[in-house]
Amino acid sequence: MLEGRSAFLFNDLKKIIYPMNTRLLKTLLPISLLVSLLITPKSLFSQCAMACDAFVVIGIQPDSTFELHYSVVLEGDICPGTNSFSMNPADTVIQLSGNNLGTVQYMVTNLETGNACWGEYRIVNSDCNVDILPPIITNRPPSSILIGCNDSLPVYNITAYDECDPSVLITESTQVADPTSCTPNRVIRRRWTAYDDAGNSSFVVQDVNYSIAPGFTVDLPGDNVIACGNEVTTPELTVSDSPCSTFGENYTDVIVNGGGCSKIVRTHYLLDWCGYDGSGPGLTAPEKDIDGDGNADAYTIHTDGINWYDGTTILGPYNGFLTYTSEIKLPSCSDPYADCKSGI
């Protein structure tokens, strides 16, 4: 019973490893082993995330050896740079022998940041008479990745081996955290599970985060002066649509009379449904009289998904909402309702 309990704790607390030429464990694990399974890996530094398996059981035949690679015991290679079982030189593997049974503490250190984590591994002799060890996933994908909002999910050649089952079954499942959310705001969790004929299983999980939507450009219209009798038209703002965003565009008009001149004040609105975070009114784009004729001129602004820019000048932070005001001027008409009725 103790033997079965130690095996089924695999998914939560430990990892069991055995090379291709080993036989499975047939000796009951002692009570002290079960107690040690409850020891959680400890992170020694906090600048970036390092996590190790708390306990790893490695089945090796007598007079055989096995190379334990740090990537097998490291849960997610999040710290950049080189990881090592020792500080100097960088040892990426530990040579293990089936003749040296027992429990040993290990530490994985990131040589660039100094961050480290630790756990324990236990070397046991193995036998296939009682198959309690799950398959080993041999080429684990990264535990977390960041991709562009229009990128496809990367494809991995996930394989696994099991000494007692030469044909391990591997399944893949994908779960979207919020299927109704726009692509840049989604988080996807992928899971690969390996099963052997005895019903033992092991799995690896990957979280896929989408980056913010790529930048896009908005062409802002200038003021428009029309003559009486002409149709009241003015260029509307246009946007180079991003494949990762859904835009809503609208405007409102206010007719202003006074001083022998009439005009329509048009306020444009642009909402990025995938980028709006609900925090405030967003950016009000400034009007620019570039040629000095008293009328605002058309110009272009753009965003990188973080800030709005006028060329290289930051206009403000990007939150997905933009307003801009232009004018449709009727300078020769004292009363737009009387003189420019059809136009208005």
Side-chain angles (χ1 to χ4, degrees):
M1 183 62 68
L2 292 178
E3 189 174 37
R5 173 174 170 78
S6 65
F8 289 110
L9 286 172
F10 169 83
N11 283 344
D12 295 326
L13 296 175
K14 67 185 181 69
K15 182 180 298 176
I16 304 175
I17 304 170
Y18 55 98
M20 289 295 291
N21 64 346
T22 63
R23 308 210 30 105
L24 292 180
L25 178 66
K26 66 179 179 181
T27 305
L28 292 178
L29 298 178
I31 295 295
S32 60
L33 173 58
L34 294 179
V35 173
S36 66
L37 290 175
L38 301 178
I39 301 175
T40 57
K42 300 184 183 299
S43 177
L44 304 183
F45 301 87
S46 59
Q47 291 92 336
C48 62
M50 291 280 285
C52 291
D53 283 318
F55 199 88
V56 180
V57 177
I58 307 165
I60 310 176
Q61 273 189 317
D63 301 323
S64 298
T65 60
F66 176 64
E67 285 190 349
L68 176 64
H69 194 273
Y70 79 84
S71 63
V72 175
V73 299
L74 190 63
E75 289 295 332
D77 185 1
I78 300 177
C79 289
T82 303
N83 294 295
S84 172
F85 279 118
S86 63
M87 291 298 293
N88 191 19
D91 293 328
T92 59
V93 297
I94 301 176
Q95 294 287 343
L96 306 180
S97 171
N99 298 328
N100 298 326
L101 306 183
T103 301
V104 179
Q105 188 176 100
Y106 73 87
M107 178 181 294
V108 178
T109 303
N110 181 267
L111 300 186
E112 275 68 24
T113 65
N115 286 14
C117 60
W118 62 267
E120 292 180 329
Y121 64 83
R122 181 177 179 84
I123 302 174
V124 299
N125 295 148
S126 56
D127 195 314
C128 266
N129 291 332
V130 180
D131 186 0
I132 64 170
L133 298 180
I136 299 303
I137 297 177
T138 54
N139 53 336
R140 299 160 64 91
S143 60
S144 179
I145 60 173
L146 179 68
I147 64 175
C149 67
N150 201 36
D151 294 341
S152 301
L153 291 174
V155 177
Y156 299 97
N157 181 28
I158 306 298
T159 58
Y161 71 83
D162 186 289
E163 181 67 17
C164 299
D165 181 7
S167 57
V168 177
L169 173 66
I170 299 178
T171 63
E172 178 183 353
S173 61
T174 301
Q175 180 181 6
V176 180
D178 183 2
T180 64
S181 180
C182 291
T183 297
N185 300 324
R186 287 191 302 172
V187 176
I188 287 180
R189 169 157 288 188
R190 308 171 77 187
R191 174 173 172 146
W192 293 267
T193 305
Y195 300 91
D196 65 18
D197 287 339
N200 303 309
S201 65
S202 57
F203 65 87
V204 62
V205 173
Q206 180 184 77
D207 286 331
V208 181
N209 295 276
Y210 283 86
S211 63
I212 59 175
F216 56 88
T217 298
V218 179
D219 294 318
L220 302 173
D223 291 344
N224 189 25
V225 179
I226 64 173
C228 289
N230 291 345
E231 191 71 20
V232 179
T233 60
T234 186
E236 300 177 18
L237 63 80
T238 58
V239 58
S240 57
D241 202 347
S242 162
C244 305
S245 297
T246 301
F247 294 101
E249 299 177 46
N250 202 353
Y251 64 83
T252 58
D253 285 343
V254 176
I255 299 177
V256 178
N257 264 322
C261 177
S262 300
K263 63 183 178 182
I264 298 173
V265 178
R266 175 164 292 181
T267 303
H268 306 264
Y269 304 95
L270 177 66
L271 179 66
D272 178 0
W273 290 105
C274 291
Y276 184 56
D277 59 9
S279 61
L283 174 72
T284 299
E287 301 174 46
K288 290 194 172 186
D289 183 6
I290 300 173
D291 57 14
D293 65 353
N295 297 315
D297 298 305
Y299 72 103
T300 298
I301 63 174
H302 70 277
T303 178
D304 60 0
I306 300 175
N307 292 303
W308 283 106
Y309 291 88
D310 172 14
T312 57
T313 304
I314 296 179
L315 296 178
Y318 179 74
N319 77 339
F321 189 57
L322 172 74
T323 60
Y324 173 73
T325 300
S326 62
E327 295 183 350
I328 306 168
K329 296 183 177 181
L330 313 171
S332 60
C333 305
S334 60
D335 185 350
Y337 290 100
D339 298 315
C340 296
K341 183 176 180 181
S342 62
I344 295 299

mmCIF file of all heavy atoms in Angstrom, residues 235-253:
data_model
loop_
_atom_site.group_PDB
_atom_site.id
_atom_site.type_symbol
_atom_site.label_atom_id
_atom_site.label_comp_id
_atom_site.label_asym_id
_atom_site.label_seq_id
_atom_site.Cartn_x
_atom_site.Cartn_y
_atom_site.Cartn_z
ATOM 1 N N PRO A 235 -13.479 64.548 -44.403
ATOM 2 C CA PRO A 235 -12.844 63.237 -44.203
ATOM 3 C C PRO A 235 -13.011 62.764 -42.760
ATOM 4 O O PRO A 235 -12.865 63.541 -41.821
ATOM 5 C CB PRO A 235 -11.377 63.505 -44.540
ATOM 6 C CG PRO A 235 -11.388 64.733 -45.390
ATOM 7 C CD PRO A 235 -12.534 65.556 -44.882
ATOM 8 N N GLU A 236 -13.355 61.522 -42.603
ATOM 9 C CA GLU A 236 -13.410 60.936 -41.274
ATOM 10 C C GLU A 236 -12.042 60.340 -40.933
ATOM 11 O O GLU A 236 -11.207 60.114 -41.811
ATOM 12 C CB GLU A 236 -14.494 59.861 -41.218
ATOM 13 C CG GLU A 236 -15.891 60.389 -41.525
ATOM 14 C CD GLU A 236 -16.941 59.293 -41.529
ATOM 15 O OE1 GLU A 236 -16.665 58.220 -40.964
ATOM 16 O OE2 GLU A 236 -18.013 59.518 -42.110
ATOM 17 N N LEU A 237 -11.825 60.110 -39.648
ATOM 18 C CA LEU A 237 -10.554 59.491 -39.284
ATOM 19 C C LEU A 237 -10.550 58.045 -39.787
ATOM 20 O O LEU A 237 -11.572 57.377 -39.858
ATOM 21 C CB LEU A 237 -10.304 59.557 -37.780
ATOM 22 C CG LEU A 237 -11.228 58.843 -36.787
ATOM 23 C CD1 LEU A 237 -10.919 57.366 -36.685
ATOM 24 C CD2 LEU A 237 -11.086 59.495 -35.417
ATOM 25 N N THR A 238 -9.379 57.588 -40.173
ATOM 26 C CA THR A 238 -9.220 56.221 -40.663
ATOM 27 C C THR A 238 -8.126 55.539 -39.861
ATOM 28 O O THR A 238 -7.207 56.194 -39.344
ATOM 29 C CB THR A 238 -8.858 56.201 -42.155
ATOM 30 O OG1 THR A 238 -7.645 56.944 -42.361
ATOM 31 C CG2 THR A 238 -9.971 56.796 -42.991
ATOM 32 N N VAL A 239 -8.224 54.226 -39.753
ATOM 33 C CA VAL A 239 -7.272 53.465 -38.959
ATOM 34 C C VAL A 239 -6.808 52.263 -39.767
ATOM 35 O O VAL A 239 -7.579 51.649 -40.496
ATOM 36 C CB VAL A 239 -7.906 53.018 -37.616
ATOM 37 C CG1 VAL A 239 -9.140 52.177 -37.850
ATOM 38 C CG2 VAL A 239 -6.905 52.253 -36.764
ATOM 39 N N SER A 240 -5.512 51.988 -39.684
ATOM 40 C CA SER A 240 -4.969 50.782 -40.301
ATOM 41 C C SER A 240 -5.268 49.625 -39.365
ATOM 42 O O SER A 240 -4.645 49.481 -38.318
ATOM 43 C CB SER A 240 -3.462 50.912 -40.517
ATOM 44 O OG SER A 240 -2.795 51.175 -39.298
ATOM 45 N N ASP A 241 -6.250 48.822 -39.713
ATOM 46 C CA ASP A 241 -6.799 47.822 -38.800
ATOM 47 C C ASP A 241 -5.746 46.790 -38.422
ATOM 48 O O ASP A 241 -5.017 46.276 -39.266
ATOM 49 C CB ASP A 241 -7.984 47.115 -39.457
ATOM 50 C CG ASP A 241 -8.905 46.476 -38.436
ATOM 51 O OD1 ASP A 241 -8.519 46.367 -37.272
ATOM 52 O OD2 ASP A 241 -10.006 46.091 -38.838
ATOM 53 N N SER A 242 -5.690 46.504 -37.142
ATOM 54 C CA SER A 242 -4.815 45.461 -36.644
ATOM 55 C C SER A 242 -5.564 44.142 -36.679
ATOM 56 O O SER A 242 -6.747 44.084 -36.353
ATOM 57 C CB SER A 242 -4.382 45.774 -35.205
ATOM 58 O OG SER A 242 -3.894 44.616 -34.577
ATOM 59 N N PRO A 243 -4.914 43.028 -37.047
ATOM 60 C CA PRO A 243 -5.605 41.730 -37.059
ATOM 61 C C PRO A 243 -5.980 41.250 -35.666
ATOM 62 O O PRO A 243 -6.730 40.297 -35.531
ATOM 63 C CB PRO A 243 -4.576 40.794 -37.700
ATOM 64 C CG PRO A 243 -3.256 41.437 -37.432
ATOM 65 C CD PRO A 243 -3.511 42.907 -37.485
ATOM 66 N N CYS A 244 -5.461 41.923 -34.653
ATOM 67 C CA CYS A 244 -5.713 41.480 -33.277
ATOM 68 C C CYS A 244 -6.675 42.402 -32.551
ATOM 69 O O CYS A 244 -6.876 42.259 -31.341
ATOM 70 C CB CYS A 244 -4.408 41.413 -32.505
ATOM 71 S SG CYS A 244 -3.152 40.392 -33.293
ATOM 72 N N SER A 245 -7.259 43.360 -33.234
ATOM 73 C CA SER A 245 -8.146 44.313 -32.579
ATOM 74 C C SER A 245 -9.443 44.449 -33.372
ATOM 75 O O SER A 245 -9.487 44.184 -34.574
ATOM 76 C CB SER A 245 -7.488 45.691 -32.444
ATOM 77 O OG SER A 245 -6.340 45.625 -31.627
ATOM 78 N N THR A 246 -10.480 44.873 -32.682
ATOM 79 C CA THR A 246 -11.768 45.171 -33.308
ATOM 80 C C THR A 246 -12.118 46.614 -32.959
ATOM 81 O O THR A 246 -12.210 46.957 -31.780
ATOM 82 C CB THR A 246 -12.859 44.229 -32.796
ATOM 83 O OG1 THR A 246 -12.492 42.882 -33.092
ATOM 84 C CG2 THR A 246 -14.189 44.544 -33.457
ATOM 85 N N PHE A 247 -12.289 47.459 -33.977
ATOM 86 C CA PHE A 247 -12.469 48.883 -33.749
ATOM 87 C C PHE A 247 -13.935 49.294 -33.906
ATOM 88 O O PHE A 247 -14.656 48.794 -34.766
ATOM 89 C CB PHE A 247 -11.624 49.704 -34.731
ATOM 90 C CG PHE A 247 -10.149 49.547 -34.523
ATOM 91 C CD1 PHE A 247 -9.411 48.711 -35.346
ATOM 92 C CD2 PHE A 247 -9.504 50.215 -33.505
ATOM 93 C CE1 PHE A 247 -8.048 48.551 -35.156
ATOM 94 C CE2 PHE A 247 -8.154 50.062 -33.302
ATOM 95 C CZ PHE A 247 -7.416 49.233 -34.134
ATOM 96 N N GLY A 248 -14.329 50.235 -33.064
ATOM 97 C CA GLY A 248 -15.601 50.915 -33.213
ATOM 98 C C GLY A 248 -15.339 52.376 -33.493
ATOM 99 O O GLY A 248 -14.572 53.024 -32.780
ATOM 100 N N GLU A 249 -15.940 52.914 -34.580
ATOM 101 C CA GLU A 249 -15.720 54.310 -34.968
ATOM 102 C C GLU A 249 -17.077 55.027 -35.024
ATOM 103 O O GLU A 249 -18.068 54.475 -35.495
ATOM 104 C CB GLU A 249 -15.036 54.387 -36.328
ATOM 105 C CG GLU A 249 -13.670 53.725 -36.378
ATOM 106 C CD GLU A 249 -13.079 53.769 -37.788
ATOM 107 O OE1 GLU A 249 -13.130 54.847 -38.410
ATOM 108 O OE2 GLU A 249 -12.605 52.727 -38.260
ATOM 109 N N ASN A 250 -17.085 56.284 -34.551
ATOM 110 C CA ASN A 250 -18.315 57.065 -34.569
ATOM 111 C C ASN A 250 -17.953 58.536 -34.457
ATOM 112 O O ASN A 250 -16.787 58.881 -34.194
ATOM 113 C CB ASN A 250 -19.228 56.648 -33.410
ATOM 114 C CG ASN A 250 -20.687 56.998 -33.672
ATOM 115 O OD1 ASN A 250 -21.014 57.663 -34.654
ATOM 116 N ND2 ASN A 250 -21.561 56.552 -32.783
ATOM 117 N N TYR A 251 -18.938 59.418 -34.655
ATOM 118 C CA TYR A 251 -18.712 60.847 -34.421
ATOM 119 C C TYR A 251 -20.032 61.497 -34.063
ATOM 120 O O TYR A 251 -21.119 60.981 -34.351
ATOM 121 C CB TYR A 251 -18.067 61.544 -35.634
ATOM 122 C CG TYR A 251 -18.911 61.564 -36.875
ATOM 123 C CD1 TYR A 251 -19.905 62.530 -37.075
ATOM 124 C CD2 TYR A 251 -18.703 60.621 -37.875
ATOM 125 C CE1 TYR A 251 -20.670 62.555 -38.219
ATOM 126 C CE2 TYR A 251 -19.467 60.634 -39.034
ATOM 127 C CZ TYR A 251 -20.458 61.598 -39.200
ATOM 128 O OH TYR A 251 -21.220 61.610 -40.352
ATOM 129 N N THR A 252 -19.933 62.653 -33.413
ATOM 130 C CA THR A 252 -21.110 63.476 -33.104
ATOM 131 C C THR A 252 -20.867 64.883 -33.631
ATOM 132 O O THR A 252 -19.721 65.364 -33.618
ATOM 133 C CB THR A 252 -21.388 63.525 -31.588
ATOM 134 O OG1 THR A 252 -20.238 64.051 -30.909
ATOM 135 C CG2 THR A 252 -21.708 62.144 -31.050
ATOM 136 N N ASP A 253 -21.941 65.540 -34.082
ATOM 137 C CA ASP A 253 -21.854 66.897 -34.632
ATOM 138 C C ASP A 253 -22.604 67.888 -33.747
ATOM 139 O O ASP A 253 -23.680 67.572 -33.226
ATOM 140 C CB ASP A 253 -22.457 66.954 -36.035
ATOM 141 C CG ASP A 253 -21.553 66.325 -37.083
ATOM 142 O OD1 ASP A 253 -20.350 66.134 -36.808
ATOM 143 O OD2 ASP A 253 -22.058 66.024 -38.182
#
